[in-house]
mmCIF file of all heavy atoms in Angstrom:
data_model
loop_
_atom_site.group_PDB
_atom_site.id
_atom_site.type_symbol
_atom_site.label_atom_id
_atom_site.label_comp_id
_atom_site.label_asym_id
_atom_site.label_seq_id
_atom_site.Cartn_x
_atom_site.Cartn_y
_atom_site.Cartn_z
ATOM 1 N N GLU A 52 57.551 -40.205 0.965
ATOM 2 C CA GLU A 52 58.949 -40.181 1.389
ATOM 3 C C GLU A 52 59.864 -39.568 0.351
ATOM 4 O O GLU A 52 61.076 -39.347 0.617
ATOM 5 C CB GLU A 52 59.408 -41.555 1.818
ATOM 6 C CG GLU A 52 58.719 -42.015 3.108
ATOM 7 C CD GLU A 52 58.749 -43.531 3.224
ATOM 8 O OE1 GLU A 52 59.778 -44.072 3.515
ATOM 9 O OE2 GLU A 52 57.662 -44.129 3.093
ATOM 10 N N SER A 53 59.318 -39.267 -0.813
ATOM 11 C CA SER A 53 60.114 -38.515 -1.846
ATOM 12 C C SER A 53 59.847 -37.009 -1.671
ATOM 13 O O SER A 53 60.362 -36.232 -2.459
ATOM 14 C CB SER A 53 59.659 -38.955 -3.251
ATOM 15 O OG SER A 53 59.966 -40.310 -3.485
ATOM 16 N N ASN A 67 44.590 -27.679 2.482
ATOM 17 C CA ASN A 67 44.897 -26.251 2.187
ATOM 18 C C ASN A 67 44.349 -25.768 0.835
ATOM 19 O O ASN A 67 44.302 -24.571 0.583
ATOM 20 C CB ASN A 67 46.412 -26.021 2.197
ATOM 21 C CG ASN A 67 46.978 -26.311 3.560
ATOM 22 O OD1 ASN A 67 46.469 -25.893 4.558
ATOM 23 N ND2 ASN A 67 48.076 -27.089 3.583
ATOM 24 N N THR A 71 37.240 -28.107 -5.520
ATOM 25 C CA THR A 71 36.313 -27.462 -6.433
ATOM 26 C C THR A 71 36.930 -26.241 -7.138
ATOM 27 O O THR A 71 36.523 -25.863 -8.216
ATOM 28 C CB THR A 71 35.022 -27.023 -5.695
ATOM 29 O OG1 THR A 71 35.390 -26.439 -4.490
ATOM 30 C CG2 THR A 71 34.103 -28.179 -5.458
ATOM 31 N N PRO A 76 36.531 -30.004 -13.949
ATOM 32 C CA PRO A 76 36.440 -29.313 -15.273
ATOM 33 C C PRO A 76 35.889 -27.919 -15.127
ATOM 34 O O PRO A 76 36.300 -26.962 -15.825
ATOM 35 C CB PRO A 76 35.546 -30.223 -16.081
ATOM 36 C CG PRO A 76 35.447 -31.495 -15.359
ATOM 37 C CD PRO A 76 35.791 -31.263 -13.924
ATOM 38 N N LEU A 121 51.303 -52.958 -12.282
ATOM 39 C CA LEU A 121 51.225 -51.880 -11.272
ATOM 40 C C LEU A 121 50.229 -50.870 -11.772
ATOM 41 O O LEU A 121 50.339 -50.326 -12.861
ATOM 42 C CB LEU A 121 52.609 -51.253 -11.150
ATOM 43 C CG LEU A 121 52.694 -49.892 -10.394
ATOM 44 C CD1 LEU A 121 52.168 -50.003 -8.976
ATOM 45 C CD2 LEU A 121 54.148 -49.421 -10.391
ATOM 46 N N THR A 123 48.676 -47.267 -10.713
ATOM 47 C CA THR A 123 48.902 -46.184 -9.788
ATOM 48 C C THR A 123 47.889 -45.116 -9.976
ATOM 49 O O THR A 123 47.474 -44.798 -11.097
ATOM 50 C CB THR A 123 50.337 -45.622 -9.877
ATOM 51 O OG1 THR A 123 50.513 -44.680 -8.820
ATOM 52 C CG2 THR A 123 50.636 -44.985 -11.211
ATOM 53 N N LEU A 129 56.760 -41.160 -10.844
ATOM 54 C CA LEU A 129 57.958 -41.657 -10.151
ATOM 55 C C LEU A 129 58.175 -43.128 -10.308
ATOM 56 O O LEU A 129 59.293 -43.639 -10.279
ATOM 57 C CB LEU A 129 57.916 -41.292 -8.632
ATOM 58 C CG LEU A 129 58.252 -39.848 -8.305
ATOM 59 C CD1 LEU A 129 58.410 -39.658 -6.802
ATOM 60 C CD2 LEU A 129 59.486 -39.358 -9.001
ATOM 61 N N GLU A 140 48.779 -45.678 -15.401
ATOM 62 C CA GLU A 140 48.511 -44.469 -14.631
ATOM 63 C C GLU A 140 46.998 -44.174 -14.770
ATOM 64 O O GLU A 140 46.531 -43.658 -15.745
ATOM 65 C CB GLU A 140 49.344 -43.319 -15.134
ATOM 66 C CG GLU A 140 50.840 -43.559 -14.917
ATOM 67 C CD GLU A 140 51.745 -42.456 -15.474
ATOM 68 O OE1 GLU A 140 51.460 -41.985 -16.592
ATOM 69 O OE2 GLU A 140 52.725 -42.115 -14.809
ATOM 70 N N LEU A 157 50.456 -34.013 -25.186
ATOM 71 C CA LEU A 157 51.867 -33.750 -25.363
ATOM 72 C C LEU A 157 52.510 -33.550 -24.025
ATOM 73 O O LEU A 157 51.854 -33.249 -23.049
ATOM 74 C CB LEU A 157 52.081 -32.520 -26.239
ATOM 75 C CG LEU A 157 51.346 -31.260 -25.883
ATOM 76 C CD1 LEU A 157 52.260 -30.128 -25.591
ATOM 77 C CD2 LEU A 157 50.387 -30.891 -27.031
ATOM 78 N N ARG A 180 45.058 -28.324 -21.284
ATOM 79 C CA ARG A 180 44.727 -28.563 -19.895
ATOM 80 C C ARG A 180 45.640 -29.724 -19.367
ATOM 81 O O ARG A 180 46.165 -30.519 -20.166
ATOM 82 C CB ARG A 180 43.278 -28.976 -19.713
ATOM 83 C CG ARG A 180 42.900 -30.235 -20.490
ATOM 84 C CD ARG A 180 41.652 -30.906 -19.943
ATOM 85 N NE ARG A 180 41.934 -31.744 -18.777
ATOM 86 C CZ ARG A 180 41.037 -32.388 -18.066
ATOM 87 N NH1 ARG A 180 39.764 -32.296 -18.369
ATOM 88 N NH2 ARG A 180 41.377 -33.188 -17.007
ATOM 89 N N PRO A 181 45.835 -29.793 -18.054
ATOM 90 C CA PRO A 181 46.634 -30.917 -17.535
ATOM 91 C C PRO A 181 45.929 -32.228 -17.936
ATOM 92 O O PRO A 181 44.710 -32.331 -17.794
ATOM 93 C CB PRO A 181 46.602 -30.687 -16.003
ATOM 94 C CG PRO A 181 46.318 -29.238 -15.822
ATOM 95 C CD PRO A 181 45.410 -28.884 -16.986
ATOM 96 N N GLU A 240 48.945 -45.825 8.324
ATOM 97 C CA GLU A 240 47.924 -45.944 9.375
ATOM 98 C C GLU A 240 46.787 -46.857 8.891
ATOM 99 O O GLU A 240 46.659 -47.093 7.675
ATOM 100 C CB GLU A 240 47.426 -44.574 9.727
ATOM 101 C CG GLU A 240 46.864 -43.853 8.506
ATOM 102 C CD GLU A 240 46.590 -42.373 8.734
ATOM 103 O OE1 GLU A 240 47.152 -41.808 9.689
ATOM 104 O OE2 GLU A 240 45.777 -41.820 7.978
ATOM 105 N N PRO A 241 45.927 -47.313 9.781
ATOM 106 C CA PRO A 241 44.785 -48.111 9.345
ATOM 107 C C PRO A 241 43.885 -47.297 8.462
ATOM 108 O O PRO A 241 43.728 -46.080 8.629
ATOM 109 C CB PRO A 241 44.077 -48.513 10.640
ATOM 110 C CG PRO A 241 45.080 -48.251 11.738
ATOM 111 C CD PRO A 241 45.992 -47.184 11.254
ATOM 112 N N VAL A 248 41.401 -56.645 3.963
ATOM 113 C CA VAL A 248 42.539 -57.383 3.364
ATOM 114 C C VAL A 248 42.940 -58.604 4.276
ATOM 115 O O VAL A 248 42.595 -58.642 5.433
ATOM 116 C CB VAL A 248 43.738 -56.461 3.136
ATOM 117 C CG1 VAL A 248 43.407 -55.417 2.079
ATOM 118 C CG2 VAL A 248 44.171 -55.809 4.426
#
Side-chain angles (χ1 to χ4, degrees):
E52 290 159 73
S53 296
N67 297 313
T71 44
L121 167 58
T123 187
L129 283 191
E140 295 176 320
L157 51 120
R180 59 159 278 177
E240 56 192 21
V248 294

